[in-house]
Amino acid sequence: MGLCESVRGRRSPGGAGALRAAAALLVLLRLGLGLAQSVPPQDVCSSAAAHQDLTQPEYQKTAEVDASVGFMAPLVHSFLLTVQPNPFPKDLILKIAKDVEAQLNQLFIKEVLVYEVGFLVCAVIGLLYIVLMPIAGFFLACCRCCGNCGGKMYQKQTPSIHCHRITLYWAAFVTTVIILAGNICMFKSNEAIKVSVDQSQEELNKTIENIQSFLYSVPQQVHYVVNESHGTVLNVTRNLDAIGPKLGKEIQDRFRGTMDPALDSVRMLYQETVNISLELNHLNSSLVQLQSSVNRLQANLTAVKHQINNTFSDPNCFQCNMLQPELQKLTLDTTITVPSLNDFQAAVDELNKTDLKSKINEVKDFFASIPLRVTNDTKDIVKSTKQVLANIEKQISQFTKNIPLSAFTNVSETLVQLQKDIGRTAPEFKRFEGIRWGVCVVVCCVVLLVVVCNFLGLVLGPLGLTLKANPSKRSVTSDCGGTFLMIGAGFSFLFSWLFMIAVLLLFLVGGNFFTLLCQPWGDKQLLKFIDTPGFIPGLDIGPTLGLKSNITISGIFRACKKNQPLWTTLHLYELIDLQDLLNVTKYTEEIQQHFENTDISLSTITLLSPEVTNQLRSFSNKATNIDASAFTQQMNKISLINLNKTAEQLDQLAGFQNNTSSRDQLQKEARDLRQIQTDIETIIIPQLENLNSSIKSLGSTAGKINGTIEEVLSNVGAAQDFLNTNTTQIVKTESRTFLDCQLGYFSSYSDWANVTITQQVGRCGPVAGAVESIEIMICSYIVESLNAFWFSLGWCMIFFIPSIIFSIKLSKYYRRMKYSDEYDDQLIMSRIPRAQMKFT
């Protein structure tokens, strides 16, 4: 039995079931609406990318209320509200809208006149002004030409004449200042009209472009959400293609916690076994080398010993028999052995037969094949799931057809055409505006001319006046001042009635425009009025969209004012049950069924067979029985050999010899013994020490291997128990985790899509902004400026009346009289004209 004997085990309901369940969920979710974001439920699913919020388009800044444009708005509004205090005439407008011709009867006309009574009264006053002012001017001119109405060039001097003059002067001055103020307002309001009209095209284009940006963005945002669902399907498809590496890796990682320590300990045992084998080989080689050296020295020593014995047998050798006992001690006959190594070598050889390295590789190959096993076992379900996903992609493309996105395109095309029309009419409109501006400037200048004449009279008159001078001898300067006053009065009579016609017409148009359009538009009554059923045929937005409830224009405006999305603005939740479409839990039972019906086959593993376990235990027991004491005795025995002592004795014996041949032979034999002793010390002893060190190292390694074997048996046993107990559960758990990961993509995507559709798609703030921008352009700019102009002009026309009176009366105090009337303190000297004389 090997280390990694594979045994076919039970099949576990796992990863392919996860795929099938994920695929089923994809089908159902995409079939619902195709809206989702991924939030992985566990770390294994951390690759799911979070979807970003929708990017709202950038809109151009449109017109805002300018305080300088409506500088007279409070005063004009106060006047118009006094003239027209009645509320917005809903009923009258509805009657006109229903049937114009049928409403043109006396009763209806009476209702209209009653409603417009304030404007009618002002119109009557204006008409009286228009009629009476030229008549009064005509009769005054005729009367003065006849010498009446101040036409006589004679001024009676009285004590109160200076008081009257001063009073008339300041009255004329104040009146002229008031007219000048109105004239300044005319100039300013006329310029404001021009600026408003000039900016209206640009502001209108900005408003239309903002609406177009909004109309373009809504389909893009819807397609973005749908495309993100395609991305989610694509992401899951990639995961299905990589189910082997993904799910297989997770299964492998769950096994590593127990398998890695077991494999590491086996690798360590294998390495120690290799080291022991190397040390044994080295030890055996050292033994062979040592034994060879010992045998060689033994042969040399035997030869020397034989030579010495021959020398001693020579009769010429004096007293040689005395060393014969020492000759018997010369021996090196020993065999170097370590008896306990034989059993240890046999155990190592037996362990090497198990081939731990190949068994380790078998385990690694088995676990490396897990991803391929997962891929093979889930091949069919992945294929069918991809087909389902392909059907999902096709079905999702039909989703946008349920939303009337074409309406946005139609409105956008209409706006494009409107911009073209505005561009074509703009030059003609600018030309008309130039004419209007020029006419208004002329009117302002005429009024200014009256003011200038009055001020010249008020300045020159007092400058040239001498208080006690004779009225007939007044200076030219004073006379010019009085003449300018008369000229101002003449211009007033000449143009005031014409200007009052303009005031009347602009008042009726601008005033009613404000009361009937701008005021109800500003306080949102106009939008509520438009919501009146039947006022605009076909404006039932709710039934048109297929809603149960009706949607009003004012309600849409209020929602857009808060920049709410189209989901709540148009009550789309009545058409689409988004929560039901994105509900994941209702598919759980079907998903579970697919999950349970698919298995991934994963064989169980027998890490150590009983035979291998017994071999390891036997090896552990033998590894602790290495006995080096016999070798130590042999080493000590060799270390005690000392041939130098015998050599010294031979040298001493040689000293007593008279025979030269015997002496030389003994000395040579002594040198040979010393050489052998040197060889023992330089060759044999180092080899013995090296061999002793090897034996000790082997003993130390053999001592450690016992602990290694125990660690191997413990770790492998724990790993085997873990595999036998948890393999099926691990496969099932990791498969379910993979399934939860795929479900997490859609579940989180569903949450994102729900929030995006209900809170971000089609935020209609630009629509409300466009309505307010148009209101500002029409009412706050053009109408306000127009009303300010006619109000200022009417203001001047009203004060023309006291200006005429004060100017005519004051002019006589400065003009040069034809006849004098002297006044000196208490006596007034006057020349009484003859009866027949007539002054002109």
Side-chain angles (χ1 to χ4, degrees), residues 14-267:
L19 286 182
R20 183 175 295 175
L25 180 63
L26 298 183
V27 174
L28 297 171
L29 285 178
R30 305 299 283 171
L31 195 59
L33 187 58
L35 307 168
Q37 173 193 9
S38 64
V39 172
Q42 297 181 8
D43 293 340
V44 69
C45 199
S46 59
S47 60
H51 294 269
Q52 298 180 354
D53 291 338
L54 291 179
T55 301
Q56 300 296 333
E58 295 183 1
Y59 299 102
Q60 301 184 57
K61 187 177 182 181
T62 54
E64 297 180 354
V65 178
D66 189 353
S68 63
V69 175
F71 64 100
M72 293 188 66
L75 188 60
V76 177
H77 292 174
S78 178
F79 172 75
L80 290 176
L81 292 177
T82 303
V83 172
Q84 179 56 280
N86 299 319
F88 183 69
K90 299 180 180 179
D91 297 335
L92 291 177
I93 298 177
L94 286 175
K95 289 180 181 180
I96 296 175
K98 289 181 180 178
D99 191 352
V100 178
E101 296 181 358
Q103 300 302 332
L104 295 180
N105 52 53
Q106 293 182 354
L107 182 59
F108 177 75
I109 294 175
K110 183 180 179 180
E111 292 179 2
V112 173
L113 293 178
V114 170
Y115 179 79
E116 294 284 339
V117 64
F119 284 95
L120 293 176
V121 171
C122 293
V124 170
I125 295 173
L127 290 174
L128 290 174
Y129 188 100
I130 295 169
V131 173
L132 295 179
M133 182 61 75
I135 294 175
F138 176 77
F139 280 106
L140 181 62
C142 294
C143 185
R144 290 183 67 84
C145 290
C146 294
N148 298 315
C149 301
K152 295 178 180 181
M153 300 303 291
Y154 166 78
Q155 186 178 32
K156 185 179 180 180
Q157 301 294 304
T158 63
S160 60
I161 188 172
H162 297 303
C163 181
H164 290 166
R165 177 178 53 79
I166 293 172
T167 301
L168 289 173
Y169 179 90
W170 285 112
F173 178 80
V174 171
T175 304
T176 303
V177 170
I178 294 175
I179 295 173
L180 177 61
N183 186 242
I184 293 173
C185 292
M186 288 173 61
F187 276 105
K188 190 172 182 180
S189 58
N190 182 50
E191 187 63 25
I193 295 175
K194 184 178 185 303
V195 172
S196 300
V197 173
D198 291 341
Q199 292 179 349
S200 60
Q201 182 182 3
E202 180 182 357
E203 293 297 333
L204 186 58
N205 285 332
K206 287 182 180 180
T207 301
I208 293 175
E209 288 174 0
N210 287 345
I211 295 296
Q212 285 181 330
S213 298
F214 170 74
L215 295 175
Y216 288 146
S217 67
V218 172
Q220 290 176 353
Q221 290 174 347
V222 172
H223 287 301
Y224 174 77
V225 174
V226 174
N227 291 337
E228 284 297 299
S229 67
H230 298 337
T232 301
V233 172
L234 181 61
N235 199 3
V236 174
T237 301
R238 292 197 192 100
N239 291 341
L240 294 178
D241 291 334
I243 184 173
K246 286 181 176 291
L247 181 56
K249 180 178 180 302
E250 298 304 323
I251 295 175
Q252 288 174 329
D253 290 343
R254 289 293 302 274
F255 285 132
R256 292 189 187 282
T258 54
M259 288 302 302
D260 284 352
L263 289 178
D264 290 342
S265 60
V266 173
R267 289 191 190 96

